[in-house]
Amino acid sequence: MSIPVRLRAFRPSWLSPKVLRTEVLAGLVVALALIPEAISFSIIAGVDPAIGLFASFTMAVTIAVVGGRPAMISAATGAVALVIAPLNRQHGFGYLVAAVILAGVFQIALGALGVGRLMRFIPRSVMVGFVNSLAVLVFLAQVPELRSVPWAVYPLLAAGLALLVLFPRITTAVPAPLVSIAILTVITVAAGIAVPTVGDKGALPSSLPVPGLPDVPFTLATLTTVAPYAFAMALVGLMESLMTAKLVDEITDTVSSKTRESIGQGVANIVTGFFGGMGGCAMIGQTMINVKVSGARTRLSTFLAGVFLMVLCIAFGPVVSDIPMAALVAVMIMVCFATFDWHSIAPGTLRRMPAGEITVMVVTVVCVVATHNLAVGVVAGSVTAMVIFAKRVARLADVTAVTDPDGGQVVYAVSGQLFFASSNEIVGRFDYAGDPDKVVIDLSAAHIWDASSVAALDAIEHRYAQRGKTVEITGLNGPSARLHKTLSGELATAD
């Protein structure tokens, strides 16, 4: 085997010319889309636009190395900005930076404790609602850019959408978003069309961020002030990042390390804090541009998105400032349509889908859109799914009675899953007054899950004992027998 062939065998996949071109162009498109978003989120947090841009740079570059989900984009986000904005208003920028660093520490601790494994408990209907609500939020975020603007914005938007739809039919060698942004920029500049541009969002930074410590007193009082905000930021950031990672896993048909991603988010926020950034987490819209629209699959695109962001701001600031917002709005609208799960609301799907699944999806979407917080929607949807599941499983618990021919005893066969939602129901299924003196409760087809079920069995025995009758419980499987033995008689008897 020749040396060049050997080198190709050990070459990373992203070094192949085709993959490298895809990753580089994807990183450039994402960088262009990040600029106005980062500036907007800076305004929400009440900080200088450069702070959001610095955060997007350090988050993307760091997570590309330490994250667990290749090709996912992390940067300054609106969810994080909303959490830390009150802290900045009340105590100042130094406290905000301290909260970002502490949030990173919390995320590392939560990641090490295995919070990433909780993602397996997120139902598919919540995931679908999460994706659909994301698409709705991204679309709603573009609406202000189309209000009270010069009429020329609308034909530019239409032209951008046409390019995004038609150009991939000609070639996919160059991402359609990059072509659309470039063409619309040239048209507006050459024709002198006065429309809102990236530069109207705020001044771009002219130098790289410098590391340093937050300007706060290192006291217990400072810690107690920033800790609640830091913990809230850690939870919101992890939830959005892990949900995005799960979505990318499904799109790319690959598996990522949720534990590494959780810890990586913490590391990225710590680095961002020391560089004076506002912190962040995974960005779903930009991730969809990177993965679904541009076809990126490796860490290189994420790394280059951060690098290109700073290069564009520092070296090509005047050019980037001239990009019309209509071009970026067109890209984000296409991302919305590509992200939304249209199959989930098709009439055929809705007819076949259980009502409970549809309810969970709708609750998730409504809560996210109403609060503009993806974490709230995921929690609400998951709780709704658990309640519906508990009610559904509780109905499967049943009690049937068979009395011996001689009337000496009655055998109650209990089947199903006994837990808090079902065990209380079975208490009323026994004929305490009419049954003979000996009662057998056969649990061969049942399983005891919690203390509520043990307490219900104790209540049944207690009611029979009040009437001078004896109860024998049989057929317990191993785990149920151990739980019953441990708790029976130790719980307050219900009557």
Side-chain angles (χ1 to χ4, degrees):
M1 184 182 294
S2 64
I3 292 178
V5 172
R6 289 178 183 175
L7 290 176
R8 282 197 298 272
F10 292 100
R11 181 180 62 188
S13 60
W14 51 266
L15 277 180
S16 67
K18 182 178 180 180
V19 175
L20 183 62
R21 181 180 67 248
T22 299
E23 300 296 310
V24 171
L25 294 176
L28 181 56
V29 173
V30 171
L32 290 170
L34 277 174
I35 293 173
E37 294 278 301
I39 295 174
S40 298
F41 298 146
S42 300
I43 295 172
I44 292 174
V47 298
D48 188 83
I51 303 301
L53 292 166
F54 289 156
S56 296
F57 163 63
T58 53
M59 287 292 298
V61 170
T62 306
I63 205 67
V65 178
V66 301
R69 174 62 261 177
M72 190 167 75
I73 304 297
S74 290
T77 60
V80 168
L82 287 170
V83 171
I84 60 177
L87 179 64
N88 182 56
R89 286 195 301 268
Q90 296 170 20
H91 299 280
F93 180 66
Y95 283 81
L96 181 151
V97 173
V100 170
I101 296 172
L102 184 58
V105 174
F106 283 144
Q107 288 177 328
I108 292 175
L110 291 170
L113 291 173
V115 70
R117 290 192 291 271
L118 295 177
M119 292 306 298
R120 60 183 175 177
F121 297 108
I122 303 296
R124 183 185 179 279
S125 50
V126 174
M127 191 68 192
V128 174
F130 171 81
V131 171
N132 290 347
S133 57
L134 156 72
V136 173
L137 280 187
V138 173
F139 179 81
L140 292 177
Q142 311 313 309
V143 173
E145 303 297 338
L146 303 176
R147 290 176 178 166
S148 302
V149 294
W151 67 268
V153 168
Y154 303 109
L156 285 173
L157 176 65
L161 291 172
L163 284 168
L164 291 168
V165 172
L166 299 176
F167 189 79
R169 300 181 182 181
I170 301 173
T171 180
T172 57
V174 181
L178 184 60
V179 174
S180 177
I181 292 170
I183 290 177
L184 293 187
T185 303
V186 170
I187 290 173
T188 54
V189 172
I193 302 174
V195 292
T197 63
V198 171
D200 296 331
K201 289 288 183 179
L204 302 182
S206 58
S207 61
L208 290 171
V210 178
L213 294 174
D215 184 17
V216 294
F218 291 88
T219 62
L220 182 60
T222 300
L223 179 61
T224 56
T225 299
V226 303
Y229 296 94
F231 191 66
M233 174 184 164
L235 292 179
V236 169
L238 280 183
M239 185 167 292
E240 289 209 25
S241 299
L242 294 177
M243 290 293 288
T244 306
K246 186 176 181 181
L247 177 60
V248 177
D249 288 352
E250 293 181 1
I251 293 173
T252 60
D253 196 22
T254 57
V255 179
S256 61
S257 172
K258 305 302 184 296
T259 297
R260 179 176 174 180
E261 182 61 37
S262 301
I263 296 174
Q265 288 290 327
V267 173
N269 273 304
I270 291 174
V271 171
T272 298
F274 281 120
F275 275 92
M278 56 180 278
C281 61
M283 294 193 75
I284 308 175
Q286 274 65 21
T287 297
M288 290 299 100
I289 293 176
N290 196 46
V291 175
K292 204 164 187 177
V293 178
S294 301
R297 291 293 183 270
T298 75
R299 299 175 185 275
L300 182 62
S301 57
T302 305
F303 180 83
L304 290 178
V307 172
F308 285 149
L309 175 64
M310 279 295 97
V311 171
L312 289 170
C313 290
I314 296 173
F316 300 98
V319 176
V320 174
S321 296
D322 287 334
I323 295 176
M325 285 301 300
L328 297 176
V329 169
V331 172
M332 297 310 295
I333 289 176
M334 286 302 297
V335 169
C336 297
F337 279 93
T339 302
F340 196 92
D341 187 350
W342 297 100
H343 177 71
S344 66
I345 61 171
T349 303
L350 295 176
R351 283 195 299 269
R352 292 189 296 269
M353 191 70 66
E357 302 289 313
I358 298 174
T359 300
V360 170
M361 181 180 70
V362 171
V363 167
T364 304
V365 173
V366 170
C367 289
V368 170
V369 174
T371 64
H372 284 231
N373 191 324
L374 292 165
V376 171
V378 171
V379 172
S382 298
V383 171
T384 303
M386 287 188 288
V387 172
I388 292 173
F389 175 77
K391 291 183 65 177
R392 187 179 300 162
V393 175
R395 293 195 189 105
L396 300 178
D398 194 23
V399 179
T400 56
V402 178
T403 305
D404 283 354
D406 60 3
Q409 71 173 17
V410 61
V411 178
Y412 284 93
V414 181
S415 61
Q417 308 301 313
L418 301 184
F419 63 110
F420 62 90
S422 60
S423 56
N424 291 329
E425 294 292 329
I426 69 170
V427 174
R429 303 285 296 276
F430 293 81
D431 186 4
Y432 301 99
D435 284 339
D437 291 341
K438 184 176 181 181
V439 178
V440 177
I441 301 177
D442 182 7
L443 296 175
S444 301
H447 186 95
I448 299 175
W449 286 103
D450 59 7
S452 297
S453 303
V454 177
L457 292 174
D458 285 352
I460 294 169
E461 291 187 83
H462 178 68
R463 290 188 182 187
Y464 277 115
Q466 286 179 323
R467 293 167 175 83
K469 302 175 183 181
T470 60
V471 175
E472 180 185 0
I473 297 177
T474 64
L476 288 170
N477 58 34
S480 298
R482 286 191 292 271
L483 183 62
H484 185 264
K485 181 179 179 181
T486 302
L487 297 179
S488 182
E490 302 296 327
L491 305 169
T493 303
D495 199 359

